[in-house]
């Protein structure tokens, strides 16, 4: 239990309410602050009930009051009284009622209550009794029940009262916080307030396909020629992107061997196969290491050096010579057995063969940069920058209140640095540089004018108007050279026609009005069959005056009163 508690009693509290407050208190000492002119405890029965409850709960009750009429009654039942929370409590003397007096204690107290107490006298003097000597006083302190039961209460300790100055400060702070909250709600209502106005009217829809000409030189819209002014906005983006290396290179040892070269054409007197000439077999290429000169031989009628001796002609051994060769790349695949036939680059009248195996090649495969890897890194750079470029370009167009034509997005790569050269050994290749993006923008009002002009030709303008051009959900197809403000724009949208009422008309009618007022004003317009208005946040009561915060939706109303969007 807490050592002490202060309870403020309302003037209308019944004795049962006061008793319940004392009962539920967690304190051993309970100070009851009584209001002026209280009547509940001016009954001896109520006072005894309070004393009985306190004794049963093992609590001490102190009445905080300056009313003299309560003092005798409190003294009669043994309840402590103090003038203020800072005063020391004591039990007032009990009243002395004569035996001949047949009036009840309540009547005596009521009679005493009608007198006006003299503020210069003490509580004891006002009650007709001498001042209490203090023997029956109690201290409101933190001592335990065990300590109190051991002897008389300590007389040198004063009643400890809650800090009401601190309470008042907390109350002021709470009041200030409440004021700030109210102002915050008002501010939020004005800044966050939005409205959606749904108009149910006789609306019909039709698909529209209009081709506009965007011109960077035009200064105003031409509805007859369907020309609209355009703007080209640009954004430079700088970053780095990578792609894995996919090329392969065998860093193993190169195979070596000897190839015998033979002149097979007698029409030439002499053929030289120079060093560095490629000789190939089965897709494998070897490089000669020295020059070889082959001379013409004339034996036999068919110039066949294999004709038997004695055939007509001269015999010469210089038509066949050997050359050392080295594989053009490392790898064990260049190891070939003997008896292979080789072709000689640039010498169709010379053939080659090996009488011994070409060997010594080993494999060590590593990753190298291929041209496709460089191209992939550049593409990754552009792809990485595209999204942030779109955000920048769209913001530029939005600030100028222009439509965003994503299909017109173009890019050009400036100086891009590649981290590895072509053929270099690497696991990946990076591209770093600046990419310039551009996009065309046209004003929505200009596009609206052209589309409305074309759609008006298909309706009876005396009875209908264009409710919406559908540009918010339109698709745009750009043809022409990208990166230029001049382009052809095909606009496909769904045009809504209905009563002579535009989105701007609705926004002007409802601006600043309450829901009911706005609904009544719109229902008076011809062709309007129903109006629904939604406000946000939930505490908003009026429609914003800013047209940008008022969304207007036109719905087609059926004959049975329902609506189709």
């Amino acid at each position: 239990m807490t050592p002490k508690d202060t309870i403020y009693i309302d003037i209308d509290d019944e004795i049962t309410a006061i008793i319940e407050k004392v009962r539920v208190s967690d304190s051993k000492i309970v100070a009851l602050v009584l209001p002026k002119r209280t009547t509940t405890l001016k009954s001896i029965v109520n006072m005894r009930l309070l004393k009985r409850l306190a004794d049963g709960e093992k609590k001490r009750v102190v009445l905080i009051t300056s009313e003299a009429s309560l003092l005798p009654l409190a003294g009669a039942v043994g309840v402590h009284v103090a003038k203020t929370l800072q005063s020391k409590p004591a039990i007032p003397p009990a009243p002395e009622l004569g035996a001949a007096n047949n009036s009840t204690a309540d009547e005596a107290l009521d009679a005493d209550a009608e007198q006006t107490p003299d503020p210069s006298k003490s509580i004891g003097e006002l009650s007709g009794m001498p001042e209490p000597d203090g023997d029956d006083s109690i201290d409101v302190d933190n001592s335990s029940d065990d300590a109190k039961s051991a002897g008389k209460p300590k007389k040198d300790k004063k009643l400890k009262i809650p800090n009401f100055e601190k309470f008042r400060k907390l109350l002021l702070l709470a009041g200030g916080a409440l004021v700030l909250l109210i102002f915050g709600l008002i501010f939020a209502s004005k800044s966050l307030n939005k409205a959606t106005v749904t108009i149910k009217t006789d609306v019909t829809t039709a698909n529209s396909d209009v081709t506009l000409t965007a011109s960077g030189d035009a200064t105003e819209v031409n509805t007859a020629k369907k020309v609209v002014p355009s703007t080209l906005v640009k954004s430079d983006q700088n970053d780095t992107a990578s792609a894995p290396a996919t090329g392969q290179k065998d860093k193993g040892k190169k195979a070596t061997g000897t190839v015998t070269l033979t002149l097979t054409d007698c029409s030439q007197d002499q053929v030289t196969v120079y060093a560095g000439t490629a000789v190939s077999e089965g897709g494998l290429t070897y490089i000669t290491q020295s020059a070889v000169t082959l001379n013409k031989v004339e034996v036999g009628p068919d110039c066949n050096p294999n004709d038997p001796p004695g055939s007509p002609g001269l015999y010469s051994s210089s038509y066949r010579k050997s050359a050392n060769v080295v594989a053009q790349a490392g790898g064990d695949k260049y190891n070939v057995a003997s008896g292979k036939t080789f072709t000689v680059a640039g010498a169709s009248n010379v053939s080659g063969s090996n009488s011994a195996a070409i060997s010594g090649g080993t494999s060590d495969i590593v990753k190298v940069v291929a041209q496709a890897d460089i191209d992939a890194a550049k593409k990754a750079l552009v792809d990485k920058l595209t999204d942030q470029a779109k955000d920048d370009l769209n913001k530029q167009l939005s600030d100028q209140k222009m439509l965003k034509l994503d299909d017109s997005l173009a890019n050009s790569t400036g100086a891009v640095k590649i981290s590895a050269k072509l053929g270099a050994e690497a696991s990946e290749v990076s591209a770093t540089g600046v990419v310039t993006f551009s996009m065309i923008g046209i004003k929505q009002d200009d596009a609206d004018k052209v589309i409305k002009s074309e759609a008006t030709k298909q309706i009876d303008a005396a009875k209908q108007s264009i409710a919406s051009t559908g540009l918010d959900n339109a698709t745009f197809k750009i043809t022409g050279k990208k990166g230029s403000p001049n382009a052809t724009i095909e606009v496909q949208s769904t045009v809504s026609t209905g009563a002579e009422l535009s989105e701007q008309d609705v926004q002007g009618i409802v601006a600043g009005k309450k829901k009911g007022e706005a609904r009544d004003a719109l229902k008076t317009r011809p062709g309007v069959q129903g109006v629904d208005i939604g406000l946000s946040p939930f505490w908003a009561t009026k429609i914003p005056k800013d047209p940008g915060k008022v969304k207007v939706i036109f719905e087609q109303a059926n004959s049975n009163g329902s609506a189709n969007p």
Side-chain angles (χ1 to χ4, degrees):
M1 296 179 67
T2 57
K4 55 188 175 181
D5 192 9
T6 301
I7 299 176
Y8 290 83
I9 304 301
D10 294 332
I11 195 169
D12 296 330
D13 280 351
E14 299 291 340
I15 186 60
T16 55
I18 297 174
I19 288 174
E20 180 63 18
K21 291 180 179 180
V22 174
R23 188 184 67 80
V24 300
S25 174
D26 292 333
S27 302
K28 297 178 294 184
I29 300 175
V30 181
L32 298 179
V33 181
L34 303 180
K36 293 182 179 180
R37 295 182 296 280
T38 182
T39 59
T40 303
L41 292 177
K42 288 183 179 180
S43 166
I44 189 65
V45 175
N46 291 348
M47 190 69 76
R48 285 174 177 168
L49 290 174
L50 178 62
K51 174 64 174 174
R52 184 180 301 171
L53 180 278
D55 293 343
E57 296 287 334
K58 295 182 180 181
K59 298 178 181 178
R60 300 292 185 92
V61 174
V62 180
L63 302 181
I64 309 300
T65 180
S66 61
E67 294 200 26
S69 59
L70 291 177
L71 299 178
L73 192 54
V77 298
V79 175
H80 288 76
V81 178
K83 287 184 179 181
T84 66
L85 289 168
Q86 290 75 28
S87 303
K88 189 173 184 180
I91 298 177
E96 296 180 1
L97 299 177
N101 190 353
N102 295 327
S103 62
T104 65
D106 288 342
E107 292 172 344
L109 291 172
D110 292 338
D112 186 49
E114 294 175 357
Q115 300 178 3
T116 303
D118 186 353
S120 65
K121 296 181 179 181
S122 66
I123 293 176
E125 291 173 337
L126 290 174
S127 62
M129 299 295 174
E131 287 291 327
D133 58 8
D135 291 340
D136 294 328
S137 64
I138 64 171
D139 290 324
V140 180
D141 56 19
N142 295 334
S143 61
S144 65
D145 289 341
D146 295 336
K148 290 183 180 295
S149 63
K152 287 185 178 181
K154 297 179 180 179
K155 297 181 180 180
D156 58 339
K157 290 188 178 181
K158 296 183 179 180
L159 179 66
K160 294 184 179 180
I161 306 301
N163 189 339
F164 287 93
E165 183 65 26
K166 182 178 180 181
F167 175 76
R168 283 193 292 270
K169 289 181 180 180
L170 292 175
L171 189 61
L172 290 174
L173 289 175
L178 180 60
V179 171
L180 290 176
L181 178 61
I182 293 173
F183 277 105
L185 290 175
I186 295 174
F187 174 76
S189 297
K190 292 183 178 180
S191 61
L192 302 178
N193 192 10
K194 294 182 180 180
T196 300
V197 181
T198 303
I199 308 293
K200 298 180 179 68
T201 183
D202 292 328
V203 176
T204 58
T205 60
N207 293 328
S208 171
D209 193 342
V210 178
T211 300
L212 308 177
T213 298
S215 173
D217 298 326
T219 57
E220 60 182 15
V221 62
N222 187 326
T223 56
K225 295 183 179 180
K226 294 181 285 188
V227 175
V228 293
S230 64
T231 297
L232 183 70
V233 292
K234 295 183 178 182
S235 176
D236 291 334
Q237 301 293 328
N238 187 4
D239 211 329
T240 299
S242 302
T246 60
Q248 290 186 345
K249 180 180 180 181
D250 196 331
K251 293 178 63 178
K253 293 182 179 180
K254 297 180 180 181
T256 60
T258 301
V259 174
T260 300
L261 303 178
T262 302
L263 180 63
T264 59
D265 185 0
C266 295
S267 62
Q268 287 184 272
D269 291 337
Q270 191 177 71
V271 174
T272 300
V273 178
Y274 295 97
T277 302
V279 295
S280 303
E281 186 278 326
L284 301 175
T285 301
Y286 304 83
I287 307 301
T288 60
Q289 301 301 299
S290 60
V292 175
T293 300
L294 304 175
N295 295 311
K296 172 183 176 182
V297 60
E298 295 183 0
V299 290
D302 299 323
C303 192
N304 186 351
N306 293 320
D307 285 347
S311 299
L314 299 175
Y315 174 78
S316 171
S317 62
S318 60
Y319 69 93
R320 177 184 291 137
K321 291 183 180 180
S322 296
N324 293 329
V325 296
V326 177
Q328 69 173 359
D332 55 7
K333 67 179 180 179
Y334 288 93
N335 297 331
V336 296
S338 60
K340 302 294 183 179
T341 300
F342 296 81
T343 59
V344 180
S348 59
N349 57 346
V350 177
S351 67
S353 63
N354 64 320
S355 58
I358 299 177
S359 60
T362 60
S363 292
D364 181 11
I365 306 299
V366 295
K367 291 286 186 180
V368 295
V369 176
Q371 183 60 48
D373 303 332
I374 295 175
D375 296 339
K378 290 181 179 180
K379 183 179 183 302
L381 175 63
V382 174
D383 293 343
K384 183 177 181 180
L385 297 176
T386 297
D387 288 341
Q388 58 195 59
K390 278 185 178 180
D391 292 340
D392 183 32
L393 295 171
N394 287 336
K395 184 179 184 304
Q396 292 184 50
L397 294 173
S398 178
D399 291 344
Q400 300 180 46
K401 296 182 179 180
M402 291 191 169
L403 289 172
K404 298 170 289 186
L405 306 178
D406 289 345
D407 192 45
S408 67
L409 181 68
N411 66 77
S412 60
T413 304
V416 176
K417 182 179 180 181
I418 304 301
S419 62
K421 294 181 179 181
L422 180 65
E425 182 178 347
S427 59
E428 67 175 17
V429 58
S430 299
T432 303
V434 177
V435 180
T436 301
F437 294 84
S438 64
M439 187 182 292
I440 295 175
I442 60 175
K443 290 185 177 180
Q444 181 167 341
D445 289 345
D446 293 342
D448 266 332
K449 290 178 182 179
V450 176
I451 295 175
K452 283 183 178 180
S453 176
E454 294 300 306
T456 302
K457 299 175 183 178
Q458 312 299 324
I459 64 172
D460 185 351
K463 299 180 180 180
Q464 291 180 302
S465 66
I466 306 300
S468 172
T469 59
L471 278 178
D472 290 340
N473 298 310
T475 59
F476 302 90
K477 184 178 180 181
I478 312 296
T479 57
K481 182 181 179 181
K482 292 188 176 183
S484 168
N486 303 316
T488 300
I489 307 173
E490 183 181 354
V491 184
Q492 295 179 342
S493 64
T494 301
V495 176
S496 301
T497 61
E500 186 66 30
L501 193 65
S502 67
E503 181 177 349
Q504 290 76 16
D505 292 335
V506 175
Q507 292 170 340
I509 292 171
V510 303
K513 289 185 174 64
K514 293 184 177 180
K515 290 175 64 174
E517 296 174 348
R519 188 182 297 109
D520 293 340
L522 289 172
K523 284 184 176 180
T524 61
R525 300 301 294 259
V528 176
Q529 296 188 10
V531 179
D532 288 331
I533 299 176
L535 296 178
S536 65
F538 65 89
W539 61 77
T541 59
K542 288 187 178 181
I543 298 172
K545 293 183 179 181
D546 183 1
K549 296 184 177 181
V550 181
K551 182 179 180 180
V552 180
I553 300 174
F554 291 95
E555 292 184 350
Q556 181 179 2
N558 296 329
S559 58
N560 59 6
S562 62
N564 293 327

